Every structure is written in structure tokens, then in C-alpha cells.
Amino acid sequence: MKSIFLDYNATTPIAPSVQEAMLPFMAEYFACPDGMYAQSRAIEEALEDARGQVAHLLGSTSDEVIFCASGTESCNLAIKGVVLPYLAQRQPCHIIVSAIEHAAVSQTASHCRYMGCEVSVLPVDRHGLVSAEELANTIRSDTKLVSVMLANDETGVIQPLDKLAKVCQEHAVLLHSDACQAAGKIHVSPKQLGVDLLSISAHKFYGPKGAAALYVKEGTSLHPLIHGAGAEHSMRAGAENVMAWVGMGKAANLVGRSIDDAAEKLTQLTRRFGHRLMESILEPIVIHGSQVERVPNTLCVNFPNISGQELLRRVPEICASTSCSDTVGGGNSSPVLAAMGVAEDEKRGTIRLSLGWYTSEEEVDRAADLLIHAWESMRH
């Protein structure tokens, strides 16, 4: 039986036109872009075209885009790139991250703490939102950076970054946002949001793995993590991953032209999915974050009185995930749900369903039927 892929927040398939754009750089155009010959110049031009496409998606200039190998690297460069000079000079350094960050940010912040930086963790309310007032109360005289994601990978909840940015600007503090789950799903403009640094990852929007970018606002001082030859505006040494970065550029162009149409389709599908589950399951279902703005493709659903892990085991046709890695015994250890104050039994029964371009109405209906049947069999 054909599987139903509902884990688009984990990764997306490479779009056919993106794959086609990448193919010449797997074979014919294999040279390094810094050579003096014609093939190198052609490759350099392709890379700059890709940079321009990513910049266009973000509404930035090409000079503000640094290519990276992953969203995790992008977040590391943003955070450590700000923190390292202060630590090297033994100056006071304090950073703030939210309680719902991806490990790419939370673990990086933990490492900065290990290196001597002080770290504060911003709480969220029951909807998963950070408060601008709470942020203002947490900022100190030695605060150098705030990092708050744009859209959460588990709940899809979108943060009020524009309000948080105003607080940071009032205190002359840099603001970074992990936008890996937002780029390609909603319009993402660092300038409109008011952020100084912003991370995106190509494999979240129908591009290849191994390609990501960091937006660095013009005039923002950043220390490189990888040293060597002066690639990527001297911010990231190493041979360029031409094939992947060209693919990211093509994917950025592709999603940039279709965001509104795709968002409308996905909004309808997720609404259909949620309604079908709630109408058929007699016990109360909770969709986490449903009372606030979310990206259009994500349903973080609690199935009452069962284990989400066991539920997914019973429907092998569905490719989905629990909201976080399950603990021994079928529990859910999600720090995001914990930060939102979700009760243990609700965490235990929560799964994440994330839809994408290739999700059909028929797949949504079939997946809903399979989940409903599995839940009923577990309850009775």
C-alpha cells in the first residue's frame, strides 16, 4: 500500500525543476568557482544567481546572504559569531533564547554557556508565544543577542517577531531568528520583521539537504566559525557546495512564486484534516496552538488517552512523527509542549502532521480514516 507522507516539517522532496537545475553541476560544471578559466566563471555566475534568488525570497540584498551547509550551521554561525569576540576578550556577555527553540539554537546556547556566556531562557504562554514585555524584562546591560524562532517546527505557531524586534532595537540588542520552518511556507522578510540575523534551510522548501543560508543585515558584525580561504564574504571557508546551493536558489525562486497559492491550498487541507478528526473522535481532541497564527501546513494533535507513538505504529502507511522523540514507555519528552504547560497525558498522545505541496485531498481523508480507526481500536 502506498504511503502517505505527512512529515514535511522534517524534510521535503526535491522539486523536479530543482533537481534539473542541479544536474549540470554534478558532472559537466565540476570546477571550483575561483578559477581563471571560463568554466569557473560560469560556475561563479551560477552561484551568484542562486544567491540573488535567495535574497529575492527574503527581500534582502545578495551581499546580506551567506551560504551554509545546514540550518544548524546557520544558527551556530549567527549565535557564536556574535558571542565569540566578547568571550575572547573576556567581556561580559549575555544572550536570550526562547524555551521552544530547535536544538540548533538551544544546544548552541548551552555550548555558549559552557564557554562562559550567560544564557536566559524566555518562557512562552499556553499558546507557545513569547511576550515582548517578558523579553524587555529579561534584557540586561550586557545582553548581546536574542534568538527567537519565527515558526515552531512542532506546533507551527508564528512568533510576533516584529514586536520583539522593537524591544531589541530599543535596547540596541541584536535579534536572530531561526526561520527554517517558515521560509517557503509564509512570506519571510528580515527587514519587515526587524531582525539582524535569520536562518533558512533549503530542504524545508523543496530544495536539497546540505544547503542553507544566513541573512546578515548590512553593518552587522559577525565572527566566522570556519577559517581558511575567504569564501562567502570571508565568513565561511571551504569549497563551495555548488550543486546544492544552485538547487537552493532554484527552490527559493520556485516557492517565492507560489507561496500564496500553496498556503491557501494547505490551509484548506489542514482545516479539513482537523475537522474530520474532531467530528469522528468522540473524546475531546486538542490541536496545540490552534488559537493563534500558525504556518498553514501544520497540525500538532493530541489524541486523547492513548500513546501517540503507539498510534503511529498502528498506521505504518502514514509517515508522520510524534511532536518530539519519545521516551521509554511511549511518553513524549517534547520541551516545546512542556514549555506551553501541556499536561503529561496530552503530551503522550500528541503527534505532528505536517502537509506539503504534494499532499492531496484523498490522502488527507485516507490518513484521517486510518488514524480514527487506529485510535478507536486502541480505546476499545
Side-chain angles (χ1 to χ4, degrees), residues 6-26:
L6 298 175
D7 206 16
Y8 280 83
N9 282 8
T11 194
T12 60
I14 298 178
S17 60
V18 172
Q19 183 178 0
E20 184 179 354
M22 294 168 63
L23 287 175
F25 300 93
M26 295 179 68

Side-chain angles (χ1 to χ4, degrees), residues 252-369:
N253 178 263
L254 198 61
V255 296
R257 290 186 284 108
S258 56
I259 282 180
D260 293 328
D261 290 341
E264 183 178 353
K265 172 197 169 184
L266 290 169
T267 298
Q268 292 173 357
L269 285 177
T270 52
R271 186 177 295 135
R272 180 186 184 98
F273 208 156
H275 285 172
R276 196 174 181 105
L277 293 174
M278 288 187 286
E279 288 172 359
S280 301
I281 293 180
L282 300 180
E283 298 180 39
I285 274 186
V286 176
I287 298 178
H288 301 293
S290 62
Q291 303 302 310
V292 295
E293 187 180 10
R294 293 175 295 153
V295 287
N297 78 314
T298 304
L299 284 171
C300 188
V301 186
N302 168 58
F303 287 80
N305 301 308
I306 55 102
S307 159
Q309 183 182 40
E310 180 60 28
L311 178 68
L312 290 177
R313 281 187 183 143
R314 294 190 179 214
V315 283
E317 303 95 329
I318 296 177
C319 302
S321 63
T322 54
S323 58
C324 190
S325 300
D326 285 315
T327 56
V328 175
N332 193 322
S333 60
S334 165
V336 172
L337 297 182
M340 293 168 62
V342 175
E344 286 299 323
D345 59 336
E346 284 190 20
K347 286 196 293 179
R348 180 172 174 270
T350 296
I351 68 171
R352 182 188 68 186
L353 304 164
S354 49
L355 287 58
W357 278 3
Y358 306 111
T359 307
S360 67
E361 211 172 76
E362 292 74 19
E363 286 180 318
V364 163
D365 291 345
R366 181 166 157 248
D369 289 343

Side-chain angles (χ1 to χ4, degrees), residues 53-60 65 183 188-191 198 200 213 215:
Q53 290 170 320
V54 172
H56 186 263
L57 177 68
L58 299 177
S60 69
V65 174
V188 176
S189 169
K191 287 181 169 55
L198 183 136
I200 66 170
Y215 161 83

Side-chain angles (χ1 to χ4, degrees), residues 66-81 104 108 176 180 199-201 210-214 225-226 232 235-237 245:
I66 297 172
F67 285 159
C68 303
S70 65
T72 296
E73 183 194 336
S74 178
C75 292
N76 270 260
L77 176 56
I79 297 170
K80 293 176 184 172
T108 301
H176 165 252
C180 291
S199 300
I200 66 170
S201 180
L214 176 65
L225 299 186
I226 303 173
E232 292 305 300
M235 288 305 303
R236 185 185 189 273
W245 293 346

Side-chain angles (χ1 to χ4, degrees), residues 109-175:
S110 295
H111 185 70
C112 289
R113 180 186 285 117
Y114 171 77
M115 293 190 296
C117 179
E118 292 194 53
V119 180
S120 294
V121 178
L122 278 176
V124 295
D125 63 17
R126 63 188 181 89
H127 303 296
L129 291 174
V130 171
S131 159
E133 182 179 0
E134 187 76 34
L135 173 60
N137 292 334
T138 309
I139 289 178
R140 310 182 331 197
S141 60
D142 60 344
T143 304
K144 308 303 180 186
L145 177 74
V146 172
S147 184
V148 177
M149 61 172 32
L150 180 50
N152 186 261
D153 51 303
E154 295 182 30
T155 64
V157 169
I158 298 172
Q159 296 297 329
L161 272 189
D162 53 343
K163 295 178 182 178
L164 304 180
K166 288 179 181 177
V167 173
C168 290
Q169 289 160 7
E170 289 170 1
H171 292 82
V173 173
L174 296 176
L175 175 60

